[in-house]
Amino acid sequence: VSTQSTGPFLATLPPFLVTVNSCLEKMTDEGSSLTLRAKGVVLSAVLGGFLFGYDTGVISGCLLVLDREGTEWKVTDDEKELIVSSAIWACAVGALVSGPINKVFGRKITLMSGAALLTIASLIMAVATDWKLLV
């Protein structure tokens, strides 16, 4: 990103925010004006993607602990792949199911249900005694 076209401030931003700003500028340059709400939606989508990548990295980092000598769990490579990919599949299913649930029950109940499900799943994973509970 050149600092002449975007200003010196953008040179100090992380790359994903520079990309978001470039997209927003391009959309605005094409004649459409973006409202503050539209910019918020774009920023939320970007941060959601960033956090999903971060979570995948955390899961992969936890797999290193399972490989250490002296651990009780003996996890094969196929089982490790299943542990990591289950998060992606769960997100895909959640995205497909959340729309119809939102239409029937409304936004607040859908968000609260998702938060409750996340809390319950986190507690189950925290006390997991086998790799199957991580999936």
Side-chain angles (χ1 to χ4, degrees), residues 66 72-75 79 83 124-125 127-135:
L66 295 178
E72 298 175 15
W73 295 7
K74 301 300 179 207
V75 183
E79 293 166 347
I83 290 170
I124 290 171
M125 287 187 283
V127 297
T129 56
D130 190 11
W131 71 269
K132 293 173 188 160
L133 286 175
L134 296 177
V135 173

Side-chain angles (χ1 to χ4, degrees), residues 88-102:
I88 297 168
W89 282 107
C91 287
V93 170
L96 291 172
V97 171
S98 63
I101 291 175
N102 187 24

Side-chain angles (χ1 to χ4, degrees), residues 33-115:
S33 61
L34 291 176
T35 63
L36 184 61
R37 181 179 174 151
K39 290 180 181 180
V41 169
V42 170
L43 185 61
S44 295
V46 168
L47 289 176
F50 175 74
L51 290 174
F52 184 74
Y54 179 78
D55 290 341
T56 304
V58 168
I59 292 169
S60 297
C62 292
L63 293 178
L64 296 174
V65 175
L66 295 178
D67 278 343
R68 288 187 184 163
E69 289 186 30
T71 56
E72 298 175 15
W73 295 7
K74 301 300 179 207
V75 183
T76 66
D77 288 339
D78 290 339
E79 293 166 347
K80 290 178 196 173
E81 291 172 7
L82 189 59
I83 290 170
V84 174
S85 65
S86 66
I88 297 168
W89 282 107
C91 287
V93 170
L96 291 172
V97 171
S98 63
I101 291 175
N102 187 24
K103 266 188 172 178
V104 173
F105 296 107
R107 173 179 46 92
K108 290 181 183 178
I109 292 177
T110 303
L111 287 173
M112 288 189 302
S113 300

